[in-house]
Protein backbone atom coordinates (compact mmCIF):
# COMPACT_ATOMS: atom_id res chain seq x y z
CA UNK A 1 0.00 0.00 0.00
CA UNK A 2 1.26 3.50 -0.72
CA UNK A 3 0.11 7.07 -0.57
CA UNK A 4 -0.81 8.12 -4.08
CA UNK A 5 -0.94 11.59 -5.60
CA UNK A 6 -3.42 11.97 -8.47
CA UNK A 7 -1.68 15.17 -9.58
CA UNK A 8 1.62 13.40 -10.27
CA UNK A 9 0.35 9.88 -11.09
CA UNK A 10 1.16 8.54 -14.56
CA UNK A 11 -1.80 8.33 -16.92
CA UNK A 12 -1.65 4.48 -16.89
CA UNK A 13 -2.33 4.50 -13.12
CA UNK A 14 -5.34 6.74 -13.61
CA UNK A 15 -6.56 4.42 -16.37
CA UNK A 16 -6.14 1.42 -14.03
CA UNK A 17 -8.21 3.24 -11.41
CA UNK A 18 -10.99 4.01 -13.91
CA UNK A 19 -11.02 0.30 -14.87
CA UNK A 20 -11.25 -0.62 -11.19
CA UNK A 21 -14.12 1.84 -10.63
CA UNK A 22 -15.93 0.21 -13.54
CA UNK A 23 -15.40 -3.36 -12.28
CA UNK A 24 -16.79 -2.25 -8.91
CA UNK A 25 -19.81 -0.48 -10.38
CA UNK A 26 -20.54 -3.44 -12.66
CA UNK A 27 -20.51 -5.75 -9.60
CA UNK A 28 -22.28 -3.57 -7.03
CA UNK A 29 -24.33 -0.89 -8.81
CA UNK A 30 -24.87 -2.24 -12.34
CA UNK A 31 -27.50 0.40 -13.17
CA UNK A 32 -24.80 3.10 -13.04
CA UNK A 33 -22.99 4.13 -16.23
CA UNK A 34 -19.26 3.43 -16.65
CA UNK A 35 -16.68 6.10 -15.85
CA UNK A 36 -14.44 7.62 -18.49
CA UNK A 37 -10.95 9.09 -18.34
CA UNK A 38 -12.19 12.59 -19.28
CA UNK A 39 -11.08 15.04 -16.54
CA UNK A 40 -10.60 12.06 -14.18
CA UNK A 41 -7.29 13.43 -12.86
CA UNK A 42 -8.91 16.80 -12.14
CA UNK A 43 -11.90 15.07 -10.55
CA UNK A 44 -9.57 13.49 -7.97
CA UNK A 45 -7.00 16.28 -7.67
CA UNK A 46 -9.06 19.46 -7.34
CA UNK A 47 -10.79 20.40 -4.07
CA UNK A 48 -12.29 23.52 -2.55
CA UNK A 49 -9.47 25.88 -1.46
CA UNK A 50 -9.78 25.02 2.25
CA UNK A 51 -10.11 21.27 1.69
CA UNK A 52 -7.51 18.57 1.06
CA UNK A 53 -7.77 15.08 -0.38
CA UNK A 54 -5.22 12.40 0.54
CA UNK A 55 -5.24 9.13 -1.45
CA UNK A 56 -3.81 5.62 -1.17
CA UNK A 57 -3.64 2.65 -3.50
CA UNK A 58 -3.27 -1.03 -2.61
CA UNK A 59 -1.36 -3.04 -5.19
CA UNK A 60 -0.17 -6.57 -5.84
CA UNK A 61 2.87 -6.06 -8.07
CA UNK A 62 1.52 -3.94 -10.95
CA UNK A 63 -2.08 -4.86 -10.22
CA UNK A 64 -4.31 -2.27 -8.58
CA UNK A 65 -6.41 -3.96 -5.87
CA UNK A 66 -7.96 -1.01 -4.13
CA UNK A 67 -8.08 2.72 -3.56
CA UNK A 68 -8.92 4.94 -0.60
CA UNK A 69 -9.09 8.67 -0.07
CA UNK A 70 -10.04 11.06 2.67
CA UNK A 71 -11.32 14.54 1.98
CA UNK A 72 -10.56 16.77 4.96
CA UNK A 73 -13.58 19.05 5.10
CA UNK A 74 -14.80 21.11 8.06
CA UNK A 75 -14.29 18.86 11.06
CA UNK A 76 -14.75 15.51 9.34
CA UNK A 77 -12.62 13.25 7.15
CA UNK A 78 -14.86 11.98 4.34
CA UNK A 79 -13.71 8.55 3.24
CA UNK A 80 -13.92 6.80 -0.09
CA UNK A 81 -12.86 3.17 -0.15
CA UNK A 82 -12.93 0.74 -3.05
CA UNK A 83 -11.65 -2.82 -3.42
CA UNK A 84 -11.74 -4.71 -6.71
CA UNK A 85 -14.46 -7.38 -6.53
CA UNK A 86 -12.04 -10.30 -7.04
CA UNK A 87 -9.75 -9.05 -4.24
CA UNK A 88 -12.39 -8.72 -1.50
CA UNK A 89 -12.67 -10.46 1.88
CA UNK A 90 -8.89 -10.63 2.15
CA UNK A 91 -8.34 -7.62 4.41
CA UNK A 92 -7.47 -5.06 1.70
CA UNK A 93 -10.39 -2.81 2.69
CA UNK A 94 -9.40 -3.01 6.34
CA UNK A 95 -5.76 -2.14 5.54
CA UNK A 96 -6.81 0.90 3.47
CA UNK A 97 -9.22 2.00 6.21
CA UNK A 98 -6.40 1.73 8.77
CA UNK A 99 -4.14 3.99 6.66
CA UNK A 100 -6.94 6.52 6.23
CA UNK A 101 -7.88 6.51 9.93
CA UNK A 102 -4.26 6.87 11.06
CA UNK A 103 -3.81 9.85 8.77
CA UNK A 104 -7.10 11.46 9.86
CA UNK A 105 -5.86 11.10 13.46
CA UNK A 106 -2.46 12.61 12.59
CA UNK A 107 -4.25 15.55 10.92
CA UNK A 108 -6.29 16.03 14.16
CA UNK A 109 -9.61 15.00 12.59
CA UNK A 110 -11.78 13.31 15.23
CA UNK A 111 -14.46 11.77 13.05
CA UNK A 112 -14.68 9.94 9.81
CA UNK A 113 -17.74 9.70 7.54
CA UNK A 114 -18.58 7.70 4.44
CA UNK A 115 -21.45 7.48 1.97
CA UNK A 116 -22.46 3.91 1.31
CA UNK A 117 -24.70 2.70 -1.48
CA UNK A 118 -27.52 0.53 -0.14
CA UNK A 119 -27.62 -3.20 -1.00
CA UNK A 120 -23.86 -3.41 -1.48
CA UNK A 121 -21.27 -5.17 0.75
CA UNK A 122 -20.01 -1.81 2.04
CA UNK A 123 -22.80 -1.54 4.67
CA UNK A 124 -21.71 -4.86 6.22
CA UNK A 125 -18.08 -3.78 6.04
CA UNK A 126 -18.60 -0.47 7.86
CA UNK A 127 -20.90 -2.03 10.44
CA UNK A 128 -18.21 -4.64 11.09
CA UNK A 129 -15.76 -1.75 11.58
CA UNK A 130 -17.98 -0.12 14.22
CA UNK A 131 -19.43 2.72 12.13
CA UNK A 132 -22.98 3.90 12.89
CA UNK A 133 -25.54 4.89 10.28
CA UNK A 134 -26.20 8.63 10.80
CA UNK A 135 -28.48 9.48 7.90
CA UNK A 136 -30.35 7.71 5.11
CA UNK A 137 -31.39 9.21 1.79
CA UNK A 138 -33.10 7.64 -1.19
CA UNK A 139 -31.51 7.91 -4.59
CA UNK A 140 -34.08 8.41 -7.35
CA UNK A 141 -33.45 7.83 -11.04
CA UNK A 142 -35.28 9.32 -13.98
CA UNK A 143 -34.85 7.36 -17.20
CA UNK A 144 -35.11 10.08 -19.85
CA UNK A 145 -36.39 7.62 -22.46
CA UNK A 146 -39.62 7.30 -20.43
CA UNK A 147 -40.32 11.04 -20.23
CA UNK A 148 -43.42 12.51 -21.84
CA UNK A 149 -41.79 15.69 -23.12
CA UNK A 150 -45.00 17.39 -24.12
CA UNK A 151 -46.44 16.98 -20.64
CA UNK A 152 -43.15 18.11 -19.09
CA UNK A 153 -43.12 21.28 -21.19
CA UNK A 154 -46.58 22.01 -19.78
CA UNK A 155 -45.42 21.44 -16.20
CA UNK A 156 -42.47 23.79 -16.78
CA UNK A 157 -44.91 26.59 -17.59
CA UNK A 158 -47.27 25.92 -14.69
CA UNK A 159 -46.18 28.61 -12.24
CA UNK A 160 -48.32 31.09 -10.32
CA UNK A 161 -48.53 34.58 -11.79
CA UNK A 162 -45.87 36.94 -10.49
CA UNK A 163 -43.03 34.44 -10.96
CA UNK A 164 -40.59 33.98 -13.81
CA UNK A 165 -38.48 30.87 -14.48
CA UNK A 166 -34.93 31.39 -15.81
CA UNK A 167 -32.45 28.83 -17.10
CA UNK A 168 -28.71 29.49 -16.69
CA UNK A 169 -26.26 27.24 -18.40
CA UNK A 170 -22.92 27.29 -16.54
CA UNK A 171 -24.32 28.25 -13.11
CA UNK A 172 -26.09 31.28 -11.64
CA UNK A 173 -25.13 34.65 -13.14
CA UNK A 174 -22.71 36.76 -11.12
CA UNK A 175 -25.29 39.52 -10.41
CA UNK A 176 -27.65 37.00 -8.80
CA UNK A 177 -25.08 35.19 -6.64
CA UNK A 178 -25.97 37.00 -3.39
CA UNK A 179 -29.67 36.39 -3.87
CA UNK A 180 -28.99 32.79 -4.90
CA UNK A 181 -26.91 32.17 -1.78
CA UNK A 182 -29.67 33.71 0.37
CA UNK A 183 -32.24 31.32 -1.10
CA UNK A 184 -29.93 28.34 -0.49
CA UNK A 185 -29.33 29.44 3.10
CA UNK A 186 -33.00 28.82 3.86
CA UNK A 187 -32.24 25.10 3.53
CA UNK A 188 -30.36 25.40 6.79
CA UNK A 189 -33.74 25.62 8.47
CA UNK A 190 -34.14 21.96 7.57
CA UNK A 191 -32.08 20.06 10.17
CA UNK A 192 -31.76 17.05 7.84
CA UNK A 193 -29.32 18.97 5.67
CA UNK A 194 -26.92 19.65 8.54
CA UNK A 195 -25.86 16.03 8.57
CA UNK A 196 -24.93 15.70 4.95
CA UNK A 197 -21.41 14.97 3.87
CA UNK A 198 -21.95 17.17 0.83
CA UNK A 199 -22.07 20.62 2.39
CA UNK A 200 -23.87 23.30 0.41
CA UNK A 201 -22.64 26.81 -0.19
CA UNK A 202 -24.57 29.40 1.78
CA UNK A 203 -22.74 32.63 0.98
CA UNK A 204 -21.78 34.17 -2.33
CA UNK A 205 -18.02 33.94 -1.71
CA UNK A 206 -18.24 30.23 -0.97
CA UNK A 207 -20.66 29.72 -3.82
CA UNK A 208 -18.22 31.34 -6.26
CA UNK A 209 -15.42 29.05 -5.02
CA UNK A 210 -17.71 26.05 -5.18
CA UNK A 211 -18.69 26.76 -8.82
CA UNK A 212 -15.04 27.25 -9.79
CA UNK A 213 -14.19 23.93 -8.10
CA UNK A 214 -17.00 22.11 -9.89
CA UNK A 215 -15.87 23.41 -13.27
CA UNK A 216 -12.21 22.60 -12.57
CA UNK A 217 -13.21 19.01 -11.68
CA UNK A 218 -15.01 18.56 -15.02
CA UNK A 219 -18.50 18.91 -13.50
CA UNK A 220 -20.62 21.22 -15.64
CA UNK A 221 -23.23 23.16 -13.60
CA UNK A 222 -26.69 24.20 -14.77
CA UNK A 223 -29.28 26.11 -12.74
CA UNK A 224 -32.91 27.08 -13.10
CA UNK A 225 -34.19 29.94 -10.96
CA UNK A 226 -37.67 31.09 -10.00
CA UNK A 227 -37.67 34.87 -9.69
CA UNK A 228 -40.36 36.67 -7.72
CA UNK A 229 -40.96 39.46 -10.22
CA UNK A 230 -42.15 42.16 -7.83
CA UNK A 231 -39.16 41.96 -5.46
CA UNK A 232 -36.58 40.43 -7.80
CA UNK A 233 -35.92 37.81 -5.08
CA UNK A 234 -34.77 34.28 -5.91
CA UNK A 235 -37.86 32.33 -4.78
CA UNK A 236 -36.51 28.92 -5.77
CA UNK A 237 -33.71 27.16 -7.52
CA UNK A 238 -32.63 23.80 -8.80
CA UNK A 239 -29.09 22.70 -9.67
CA UNK A 240 -27.85 19.98 -12.00
CA UNK A 241 -24.30 18.92 -12.74
CA UNK A 242 -23.20 16.90 -15.76
CA UNK A 243 -19.85 15.19 -15.06
CA UNK A 244 -17.31 14.74 -17.88
CA UNK A 245 -16.42 11.39 -16.25
CA UNK A 246 -19.88 9.91 -16.87
CA UNK A 247 -21.73 12.29 -19.17
CA UNK A 248 -24.83 10.12 -19.70
CA UNK A 249 -25.89 10.51 -16.05
CA UNK A 250 -26.69 13.96 -14.62
CA UNK A 251 -26.71 14.69 -10.89
CA UNK A 252 -29.58 16.80 -9.65
CA UNK A 253 -28.26 18.58 -6.55
CA UNK A 254 -30.23 20.98 -4.37
CA UNK A 255 -33.75 22.03 -5.17
CA UNK A 256 -35.06 24.75 -2.87
CA UNK A 257 -38.27 26.72 -2.79
CA UNK A 258 -38.07 29.48 -0.18
CA UNK A 259 -40.79 28.90 2.39
CA UNK A 260 -42.83 32.07 1.65
CA UNK A 261 -42.97 31.11 -2.04
CA UNK A 262 -44.24 27.56 -1.59
CA UNK A 263 -47.59 26.45 -3.00
CA UNK A 264 -47.19 28.14 -6.42
CA UNK A 265 -45.95 25.12 -8.38
CA UNK A 266 -42.36 26.38 -8.40
CA UNK A 267 -40.63 23.12 -7.35
CA UNK A 268 -42.25 21.15 -10.16
CA UNK A 269 -41.78 23.91 -12.76
CA UNK A 270 -38.10 24.35 -11.85
CA UNK A 271 -37.28 20.68 -12.26
CA UNK A 272 -39.41 20.30 -15.41
CA UNK A 273 -37.75 23.30 -17.07
CA UNK A 274 -34.32 21.94 -16.19
CA UNK A 275 -35.10 18.64 -17.91
CA UNK A 276 -36.41 20.27 -21.07
CA UNK A 277 -33.30 22.45 -21.33
CA UNK A 278 -30.90 19.56 -20.67
CA UNK A 279 -32.53 17.62 -23.47
CA UNK A 280 -31.21 20.28 -25.87
CA UNK A 281 -27.90 21.18 -24.18
CA UNK A 282 -26.79 17.67 -23.17
CA UNK A 283 -28.38 15.38 -25.78
CA UNK A 284 -26.22 12.39 -24.74
CA UNK A 285 -27.91 12.24 -21.31
CA UNK A 286 -29.75 9.00 -20.55
CA UNK A 287 -30.83 9.56 -16.98
CA UNK A 288 -30.81 11.92 -14.01
CA UNK A 289 -30.21 11.00 -10.36
CA UNK A 290 -31.35 12.90 -7.33
CA UNK A 291 -31.38 12.25 -3.58
CA UNK A 292 -34.18 12.83 -1.11
CA UNK A 293 -34.05 12.79 2.62
CA UNK A 294 -36.27 9.90 3.69
CA UNK A 295 -39.46 11.68 4.82
CA UNK A 296 -38.99 14.69 2.48
CA UNK A 297 -42.62 14.45 1.36
CA UNK A 298 -43.11 17.55 -0.81
CA UNK A 299 -40.06 16.90 -2.97
CA UNK A 300 -40.89 13.22 -3.21
CA UNK A 301 -44.28 14.12 -4.72
CA UNK A 302 -42.61 16.39 -7.29
CA UNK A 303 -40.13 13.65 -8.18
CA UNK A 304 -42.95 11.09 -8.57
CA UNK A 305 -44.82 13.39 -10.88
CA UNK A 306 -41.79 13.93 -13.10
CA UNK A 307 -41.20 10.17 -13.32
CA UNK A 308 -38.25 9.73 -10.92
CA UNK A 309 -38.22 6.23 -9.42
CA UNK A 310 -36.75 5.40 -5.99
CA UNK A 311 -33.69 3.31 -6.74
CA UNK A 312 -31.44 2.69 -3.72
CA UNK A 313 -30.75 3.91 -0.23
CA UNK A 314 -27.71 6.10 0.21
CA UNK A 315 -26.51 5.62 3.79
CA UNK A 316 -24.12 7.90 5.63
CA UNK A 317 -21.97 6.09 8.17
CA UNK A 318 -19.84 7.81 10.79
CA UNK A 319 -17.33 6.80 13.44
CA UNK A 320 -14.92 8.43 15.85
CA UNK A 321 -11.41 8.04 14.49
CA UNK A 322 -10.18 6.93 17.93
CA UNK A 323 -12.79 4.13 18.04
CA UNK A 324 -11.84 2.93 14.55
CA UNK A 325 -8.15 2.83 15.50
CA UNK A 326 -8.83 1.10 18.82
CA UNK A 327 -10.89 -1.59 17.11
CA UNK A 328 -8.27 -2.13 14.37
CA UNK A 329 -5.49 -2.38 16.97
CA UNK A 330 -7.50 -4.88 18.99
CA UNK A 331 -8.09 -7.03 15.88
CA UNK A 332 -4.45 -7.06 14.76
C1 LIG B 1 -16.48 -2.21 1.30
C2 LIG B 1 -15.23 -2.83 0.70
C3 LIG B 1 -14.20 -1.71 0.47
C4 LIG B 1 -14.66 -3.90 1.64
O1 LIG B 1 -13.41 -4.34 1.15
P1 LIG B 1 -12.76 -5.79 1.57
O2 LIG B 1 -11.35 -5.76 1.15
O3 LIG B 1 -13.62 -6.88 1.06
O4 LIG B 1 -12.88 -5.72 3.16
P2 LIG B 1 -12.17 -6.69 4.23
O5 LIG B 1 -11.71 -7.96 3.58
O6 LIG B 1 -11.13 -5.91 4.93
O7 LIG B 1 -13.42 -7.01 5.20
C5 LIG B 1 -13.36 -6.77 6.60
C6 LIG B 1 -14.64 -7.25 7.27
O8 LIG B 1 -15.77 -6.51 6.79
C7 LIG B 1 -16.93 -7.38 6.77
N1 LIG B 1 -17.38 -7.57 5.38
C8 LIG B 1 -16.78 -7.14 4.25
N2 LIG B 1 -17.50 -7.50 3.16
C9 LIG B 1 -18.57 -8.17 3.62
C10 LIG B 1 -19.68 -8.79 2.99
N3 LIG B 1 -19.79 -8.83 1.63
N4 LIG B 1 -20.61 -9.39 3.77
C11 LIG B 1 -20.50 -9.40 5.12
N5 LIG B 1 -19.45 -8.84 5.78
C12 LIG B 1 -18.52 -8.21 5.04
C13 LIG B 1 -16.46 -8.72 7.33
O9 LIG B 1 -16.64 -8.67 8.72
C14 LIG B 1 -14.99 -8.69 6.95
O10 LIG B 1 -14.22 -9.54 7.77
P3 LIG B 1 -14.11 -11.15 7.38
O11 LIG B 1 -13.83 -11.22 5.90
O12 LIG B 1 -12.97 -11.62 8.23
O13 LIG B 1 -15.44 -11.73 7.74
C15 LIG B 1 -15.56 -3.51 -0.68
O14 LIG B 1 -16.64 -4.39 -0.51
C16 LIG B 1 -15.90 -2.55 -1.79
O15 LIG B 1 -15.02 -2.07 -2.51
N6 LIG B 1 -17.18 -2.23 -1.97
C17 LIG B 1 -17.61 -1.34 -3.07
C18 LIG B 1 -17.17 0.07 -2.88
C19 LIG B 1 -17.91 0.78 -1.79
O16 LIG B 1 -19.12 0.72 -1.73
N7 LIG B 1 -17.18 1.49 -0.92
C20 LIG B 1 -17.72 2.25 0.20
C21 LIG B 1 -18.18 3.59 -0.12
S1 LIG B 1 -16.96 4.66 -0.80
Amino acid sequence: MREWDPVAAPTEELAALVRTFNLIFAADVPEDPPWRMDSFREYLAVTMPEERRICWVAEDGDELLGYASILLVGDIAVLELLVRPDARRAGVGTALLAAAARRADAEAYGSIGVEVVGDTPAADFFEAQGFRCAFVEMRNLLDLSTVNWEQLTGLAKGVGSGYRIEYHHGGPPEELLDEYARAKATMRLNPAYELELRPSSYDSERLRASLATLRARGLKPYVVLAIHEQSGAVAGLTEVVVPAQRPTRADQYDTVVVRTHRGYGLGRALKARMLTELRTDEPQLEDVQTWNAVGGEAMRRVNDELGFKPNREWREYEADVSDVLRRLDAAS
Side-chain angles (χ1 to χ4, degrees):
M1 188 165 10
R2 63 182 166 105
E3 195 170 325
W4 181 78
D5 177 8
V7 177
T11 307
E12 310 79 77
E13 291 185 3
L14 287 157
L17 188 53
V18 168
R19 281 197 299 278
T20 305
F21 266 49
N22 287 335
L23 289 171
I24 289 170
F25 277 106
D28 295 330
V29 200
E31 69 274 27
D32 279 15
W35 285 60
R36 303 182 184 177
M37 275 291 275
D38 306 58
S39 299
F40 188 62
R41 188 189 297 278
E42 293 76 10
Y43 179 81
L44 298 177
V46 178
T47 67
M48 287 281 279
E50 70 280 14
E51 296 173 358
R52 257 181 319 138
R53 185 180 287 107
I54 305 163
C55 311
W56 295 266
V57 289
E59 294 163 314
D60 180 9
D62 286 344
E63 289 275 295
L64 178 65
L65 301 182
Y67 161 87
S69 71
I70 48 173
L71 181 69
L72 302 176
V73 34
D75 58 358
I76 193 166
V78 180
L79 175 73
E80 207 173 340
L81 178 62
L82 311 158
V83 174
R84 217 171 68 186
D86 62 351
R88 291 185 187 165
R89 299 306 288 268
V92 177
T94 302
L96 285 164
L97 173 65
R102 277 197 298 270
R103 184 60 174 268
D105 189 47
E107 300 275 354
Y109 278 73
S111 59
I112 193 159
V114 60
E115 266 187 1
V116 166
V117 183
D119 296 323
T120 71
D124 289 318
F125 172 83
F126 286 106
E127 278 166 27
Q129 305 287 357
F131 283 64
R132 59 192 172 272
C133 184
F135 190 57
V136 181
E137 285 180 302
M138 181 59 73
R139 179 182 63 180
N140 302 277
L141 277 180
L142 174 64
D143 176 348
L144 293 175
S145 70
T146 67
V147 167
N148 176 339
W149 292 101
E150 205 174 315
Q151 186 193 11
L152 203 72
T153 307
L155 291 178
K157 294 194 180 124
V159 290
S161 64
Y163 293 96
R164 169 175 90 240
I165 304 290
E166 292 181 354
Y167 169 69
H168 297 278
H169 151 141
E174 183 61 34
E175 68 275 12
L176 282 174
L177 273 188
D178 281 332
E179 261 300 315
Y180 188 88
R182 220 189 323 275
K184 280 189 74 135
T186 64
M187 280 179 87
R188 276 183 157 160
L189 300 172
N190 179 348
Y193 286 97
E194 292 297 305
L195 285 162
E196 284 196 79
L197 301 181
R198 285 173 265 138
S200 292
S201 299
Y202 296 122
D203 62 69
S204 53
E205 231 10 80
R206 205 180 143 75
L207 197 56
R208 209 170 276 119
S210 156
L211 286 162
T213 305
L214 282 177
R215 293 183 189 115
R217 295 181 75 206
L219 309 174
K220 222 187 299 171
Y222 293 91
V223 303
V224 175
L225 304 178
I227 306 289
H228 181 239
E229 293 190 304
Q230 199 185 358
S231 61
V234 172
L237 59 96
T238 191
E239 305 170 326
V240 161
V241 163
V242 179
Q245 300 81 14
R246 43 171 180 73
T248 60
R249 160 77 54 87
D251 293 343
Q252 171 113 47
Y253 286 2
D254 290 343
T255 300
V256 186
V257 177
V258 176
R259 193 169 293 278
T260 50
H261 300 289
R262 293 190 187 158
Y264 298 98
L266 298 181
R268 183 194 301 120
L270 286 165
K271 284 195 158 183
R273 172 73 179 271
M274 177 67 89
L275 293 170
T276 59
E277 296 286 356
L278 287 175
R279 190 184 185 205
T280 311
D281 279 358
E282 297 282 351
Q284 79 294 343
L285 274 182
E286 290 171 12
D287 49 23
V288 180
Q289 60 184 359
T290 190
W291 292 265
N292 276 145
V294 169
E297 266 310 302
M299 204 44 77
R300 198 177 55 72
R301 270 204 309 277
V302 169
N303 285 336
D304 280 357
E305 224 174 319
L306 296 175
F308 280 91
K309 302 267 180 275
N311 163 249
R312 276 173 193 266
E313 282 187 354
W314 235 247
R315 304 167 69 86
E316 285 184 18
Y317 280 90
E318 280 181 21
D320 293 338
V321 172
S322 55
D323 290 344
V324 174
L325 289 174
R326 200 171 315 115
R327 193 180 273 266
L328 290 170
D329 282 345
S332 64

